[in-house]
Amino acid sequence: MQGALSGTRVYLVPVQASALATHTAGVERLMASYRSIPATASVRLAKPTSNLFRARTKRTARGLDTSGLRNVIGVDPEARTADVAGMCTYADLVAATLPYGLTPLVVPQLKTITLGGAVTGLGIESASFRNGLPHESVLEMDILTGAGELITATADQHADLFRAFPNSYGTLGYSTRLRIELEPVAPFVALRHIRFHSLTELTAAMERIIDTGGSDGTPVDYLDGVVFSADESYLCVGTRTTTPGPVSDYTGQRIYYRSIQHDAGITDDRLTIHDYLWRWDTDWFWCSRAFGAQNPRLRRWWPRRFRRSSFYWKLIAADQRFGIADRIERRNGRPPRERVVQDIEVPVERAVEFLEWFLDNVPIEPIWLCPLRLRDREGWPLYPIRPDRTYVNIGFWSSVPAGDSEGATNRRIEAKVSSLDGHKSLYSDSYYTRDEFDQLYGGETYNTVKKTYDPDSRLLDLYAKAVQRR
């Protein structure tokens, strides 16, 4: 096994000299950019992309240089590990691991999500019912703290930071390198789309699959679902296979989520493992319809290179900057709209209650379902869901007519989720009071770690970043 030395850190996975040199130089530039910022000024990353949907004011402060922290440093196919720079996208990470027949244990569905972002901001996908969340496959991290120190955190070294880093959204530091576990995959995924006319039956079937690890005697490797209405919902059950055969392509005229729908029973499908991992990216789940990209006539002329989540996100960003949608609504005599873009998690036994409430009160469909169970039994203090319990991530991404108060629908959702012993991700708008937030997201544990690794508050506080308007 090849070793490589970078500063005082020894990387034990095979690395390419060019990748290591790029990473070493990138860390040096990052540190230099930190030192160039006045000691009284706040610190932030200069990022080329983002998957956040929080309202933010324009920033004029110079950000940290992350230009050299976007590559895969090395892959060890024998140990099934990879060393990866913090700003490396999952698209680049998967491209490096798939030639070895390996993938990360959890691959969030959008290509431009970064590994560091998924760890500090959480992520989820259809392997989460058996592999948990992305940060649970992290073996160690190099982190630039708010104090300007570059430290290596593991479950045994700087364990307080290692445990508090997930869901801290860059308020405790930035990961420059992560070593993660990988798992073997097959060339293809065989899919079964199972229709349900009852949400109760759907969640019961989901629990059976999670408890047994299979469906009708067949092992299940991937599991998620879609709710179109109270009487039309589906579980999408995936099994790895080496058997060759015809595969579907949803990067052209065909749309993946529409392929799920059918009248009754079960339909089968088949994708390459590559196309399965990115099946949702082409249409940003179903959100591309807001731009007309699912209109067959327009789709025919929509360039493939712009048929991806990162491009749609740019359209959303432009709309937020110029208020295009609100101006169109006003011109047509309609009230402005409230953005409702959220992922929440509730215990599986409370999922039906939430879904029925949501369908009765929030005019958004479809809804994405993704079950999860934590792998790690110690838990993670900034996102304290129980390790011994099954949860269902429920994702809904659209807008509704604005109410009389700011964030009226989002506030109602937050209250409902809390009443069901659930949590929600913090990548989008939040409206909690400080006390509510502290009870849900780490409270005193977070404050203690914050004082230790960012004593001068060079980085934003988590509540300020996730809730307060700037």
Side-chain angles (χ1 to χ4, degrees), residues 282-394:
T282 300
D283 285 287
W284 206 4
F285 286 81
W286 33 79
C287 297
S288 69
R289 64 185 180 182
F291 312 110
Q294 295 180 24
N295 180 312
R297 294 180 179 177
L298 180 59
R299 191 178 185 87
R300 186 175 297 112
W301 298 103
W302 194 290
R304 278 181 180 253
R305 67 183 183 279
F306 294 147
R307 209 177 293 156
R308 64 180 192 270
S309 63
S310 57
F311 180 72
Y312 305 135
W313 195 96
K314 291 178 181 179
L315 296 179
I316 290 286
D319 172 60
Q320 293 175 1
R321 181 179 179 184
F322 299 109
I324 298 169
D326 284 346
R327 284 191 284 181
I328 292 174
E329 294 298 303
R330 284 196 300 269
R331 184 176 300 173
N332 289 283
R334 295 188 294 263
R337 299 185 68 84
E338 174 187 351
R339 180 177 59 197
V340 181
V341 177
Q342 305 287 356
D343 279 78
I344 65 97
E345 269 121 26
V346 294
V348 65
E349 65 271 18
R350 312 301 295 273
V352 172
E353 184 177 349
F354 178 83
L355 288 168
E356 290 178 342
W357 175 86
F358 187 90
L359 291 169
D360 287 342
N361 290 275
V362 183
I364 292 176
E365 57 77 27
I367 305 166
W368 185 57
L369 307 179
C370 188
L372 73 127
R373 286 182 69 93
L374 294 182
R375 295 173 67 210
D376 187 286
R377 299 197 62 80
E378 291 188 38
W380 306 89
L382 270 62
Y383 206 73
I385 61 178
R386 283 172 34 186
D388 58 347
R389 196 174 194 180
T390 298
Y391 291 78
V392 181
N393 176 282
I394 303 173

Side-chain angles (χ1 to χ4, degrees), residues 18 34 41 64 96 148 151 185 189 191 232 238 247 266 281 431 459-460:
S18 60
Y34 178 95
L64 298 178
I151 65 174
V185 294
V189 176
L191 280 168
E232 185 189 1
V247 294
I266 300 173
D281 189 83
Y431 296 89
L459 306 173
L460 275 177

Side-chain angles (χ1 to χ4, degrees), residues 135-196:
H135 57 269
E136 295 189 279
S137 60
V138 175
L139 301 174
E140 64 182 44
M141 292 180 280
D142 291 346
I143 299 173
L144 172 62
T145 69
E149 298 177 312
L150 187 63
I151 65 174
T152 299
T154 71
D156 300 314
Q157 179 181 356
H158 297 290
D160 53 348
L161 180 59
F162 185 81
R163 286 278 160 195
F165 197 74
N167 210 45
S168 63
Y169 281 91
T171 64
L172 297 177
Y174 303 115
S175 57
T176 63
R177 177 190 64 93
L178 305 96
R179 179 170 295 168
I180 62 169
E181 299 175 75
L182 305 173
E183 68 174 5
V185 294
F188 306 101
V189 176
L191 280 168
R192 307 188 82 197
H193 302 309
I194 309 170
R195 174 163 180 168
F196 295 88

